[in-house]
């Protein structure tokens, strides 16, 4: 995708992290897609967004702490597994995976860039399973709008990710997660 290319060009990718996120994410995407095909998940989306709201607040709280005090073990594959499941069920790879890795001390530049590429791999997996089970027409309408927006925003986001100081990037990620989860909660509850 445009975002993946922009992050590679800006040097925002960690290959070791990508392997772990890709493997865990694809496994989770397969599990989540199969669950999505068999159940209705509106209630699950509410709980996920409440969790993401709490993670966003935690990221803002921890942005004040020195990076050396944050956890060193990130459990990337496990986070990606659950991220893949959530991507399939609720379209929530980025807020979950990125915020979880940043909250655990990951460098925002590499977490955002690498997670973006892994998300592309996961999205292809989810789309393949859904198109195979639901048909192309059911999946294609939403995709066109998302592709257009991504083409415009990707180069700007990659440059910002590379240039922002770590603390400011962490605060921006925390605020973005909070705003995203509150917006989704409002849409689901109202």
């Amino acid at each position: 995708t445009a975002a993946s290319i922009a992050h590679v060009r800006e040097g925002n990718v960690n290959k070791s992290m990508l392997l772990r996120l890709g493997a865990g994410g694809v496994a989770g995407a397969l599990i989540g897609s199969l669950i999505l095909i068999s159940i209705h998940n509106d209630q699950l989306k509410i709980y996920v967004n409440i969790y993401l709201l709490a993670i966003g607040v935690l990221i803002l709280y921890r942005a004040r702490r020195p990076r050396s005090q944050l956890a060193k073990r990130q459990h990337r594959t496990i986070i990606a597994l659950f991220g893949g499941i959530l991507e399939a069920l609720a379209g929530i790879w980025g807020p979950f995976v990125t915020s979880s890795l940043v909250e655990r001390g990951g460098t925002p530049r590499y977490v955002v860039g690498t997670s973006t590429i892994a998300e592309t791999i996961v999205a292809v997996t989810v789309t393949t399973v859904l198109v195979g089970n639901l048909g192309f027409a059911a999946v294609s309408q939403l995709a066109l709008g998302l592709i257009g927006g991504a083409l415009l925003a990707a180069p700007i986001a990659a440059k910002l990710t590379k240039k922002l100081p770590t603390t400011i990037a962490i605060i921006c990620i925390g605020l973005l997660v909070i705003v995203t989860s509150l917006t989704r909660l409002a849409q689901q509850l109202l």
Side-chain angles (χ1 to χ4, degrees):
T1 66
S4 298
I5 293 167
H7 281 292
V8 168
R9 190 176 359 174
E10 293 297 329
N12 298 338
V13 180
N14 177 307
K15 291 177 186 173
S16 170
M17 185 188 312
L18 180 58
L19 288 173
R20 291 180 181 273
L21 295 182
V26 166
L30 291 171
I31 294 167
S33 296
L34 296 174
I35 293 170
L36 180 62
I37 291 166
S38 60
I39 67 164
H40 187 65
N41 65 343
D42 286 339
Q43 195 68 29
L44 177 65
K45 289 180 183 179
I46 293 171
Y47 294 124
V48 168
N49 283 307
I50 290 169
Y51 168 80
L52 289 174
L53 179 61
I55 288 291
V57 170
L58 185 61
I59 288 171
L60 287 180
Y61 172 75
R62 289 194 174 178
R64 302 176 306 138
R65 292 173 55 188
R67 305 297 297 155
S68 61
Q69 291 182 10
L70 296 175
K72 297 295 180 199
R73 294 192 50 135
Q74 293 185 351
H75 305 288
R76 294 171 178 164
T77 306
I78 295 169
I79 290 169
L81 175 73
F82 286 101
I85 292 169
L86 292 173
E87 175 69 15
L89 295 176
I92 302 181
W93 168 274
F96 177 77
V97 173
T98 303
S99 63
S100 295
L101 293 174
V102 168
E103 188 273 327
R104 285 170 176 74
T107 303
R109 172 184 176 184
Y110 297 111
V111 168
V112 171
T114 306
S115 181
T116 297
I117 294 173
E119 182 176 15
T120 301
I121 296 165
V122 169
V124 168
T125 303
V126 171
T127 302
T128 302
V129 172
L130 294 180
V131 167
N133 285 282
L134 302 175
F136 184 74
V139 179
S140 64
Q141 294 174 346
L142 203 55
L144 291 175
L146 294 173
I147 291 169
L151 288 172
L152 295 173
I156 297 166
K159 281 208 182 293
L160 279 175
T161 301
K162 181 178 180 178
K163 298 200 183 283
L164 278 177
T166 300
T167 303
I168 292 173
I170 292 170
I171 291 168
C172 289
I173 290 168
L175 290 173
L176 184 61
V177 170
I178 290 169
V179 168
T180 301
S181 59
L182 285 174
T183 301
R184 289 180 179 200
L185 278 170
Q187 289 171 344
Q188 293 160 347
L189 296 174
L190 301 177

